[in-house]
Amino acid sequence: DGGDIRCFSQLLILEELMHRLEYDHGRPVRPCEFFHSITGVGAAGAIAVFLGVLGMTVAEATEAFIGICEMVFAVDACDDKLRSERLVLAIKVVLDKLDIPYTTRLAGDIERSAGYRSICYSSAAIAGCRMFRNYKSKQASYNPTIVEAVRACWATPGLFASVIIGNGPQKEEIISAVHGFNNPTPQAVQEARELYGTDRAVSALLSLGSG
């Protein structure tokens, strides 16, 4: 779920779950190894990128998330444009630590984990929830850079500025999907059905809120 800085609580819950899994398996386990699919919206979309695309452990994702929040939500007053600029810089700091180029795209450019990851966003002009994906789908979707993906999924109106993606006549203004789709569980289930088929049973569905 979305929740901005409150999404830190999701990482704490996930940390406890992963600890139990590691105890059962007798070895370290990363979330990207255990969950076949990860879907996020808002700030949790950024966490989904850290865990699912960049292959971070929960501890690494927590450090990255806290670092971003400290840079972005500083005590000084700023508008959504300046806050957005700080977010881009903070994402680049995370990528620098991993030696990942800023131009790296969500799909096709990076292989640090296995599995399917989808990040929710909305069009500023058309209502609805849409997806960035790191995998092929019958649903067409733009393949953003990791920087663009995090900026777009976290582009909560009033908090961050909207994002322009695409080129030429396909340019589109993007905002976060938190207003209307703050819990993306239905979207995650639908993605799983399209990926694995309706006959496949779901063994575990974990929905992490931020309340």
Side-chain angles (χ1 to χ4, degrees), residues 40-63:
V41 64
I47 293 173
V49 170
F50 298 157
L51 297 173
V53 178
L54 301 183
M56 291 183 178
T57 64
V58 177
E60 290 168 340
T62 300
E63 180 182 355

Side-chain angles (χ1 to χ4, degrees), residues 26-151:
R27 64 174 180 84
V29 180
R30 293 180 298 162
C32 65
E33 297 177 78
F34 185 77
F35 295 101
H36 293 101
S37 178
I38 300 176
T39 300
V41 64
I47 293 173
V49 170
F50 298 157
L51 297 173
V53 178
L54 301 183
M56 291 183 178
T57 64
V58 177
E60 290 168 340
T62 300
E63 180 182 355
F65 186 72
I66 291 175
I68 286 177
C69 289
E70 288 177 343
M71 287 184 65
V72 173
F73 301 105
V75 294
D76 60 314
C78 64
D79 58 15
D80 58 356
K81 183 178 179 180
L82 178 56
R83 199 175 290 114
S84 299
E85 292 173 355
R86 289 177 176 176
L87 177 57
V88 169
L89 291 175
I91 300 165
K92 289 181 176 180
V93 169
V94 173
L95 295 179
D96 283 339
K97 290 181 179 179
L98 299 173
D99 293 323
I100 296 175
Y102 305 150
T103 55
T104 301
R105 295 195 174 273
L106 197 65
D109 285 356
I110 186 168
E111 295 182 0
R112 295 178 63 93
S113 69
Y116 303 101
R117 322 302 176 198
S118 50
I119 315 301
C120 301
Y121 70 93
S122 290
S123 168
I126 304 173
C129 181
R130 295 158 69 184
M131 299 280 196
F132 292 134
R133 301 174 177 87
N134 75 332
Y135 53 90
K136 292 182 179 180
S137 169
K138 67 178 181 180
Q139 306 293 334
S141 60
Y142 177 72
N143 184 18
T145 65
I146 290 175
V147 175
E148 287 177 324
V150 175
R151 262 287 286 121

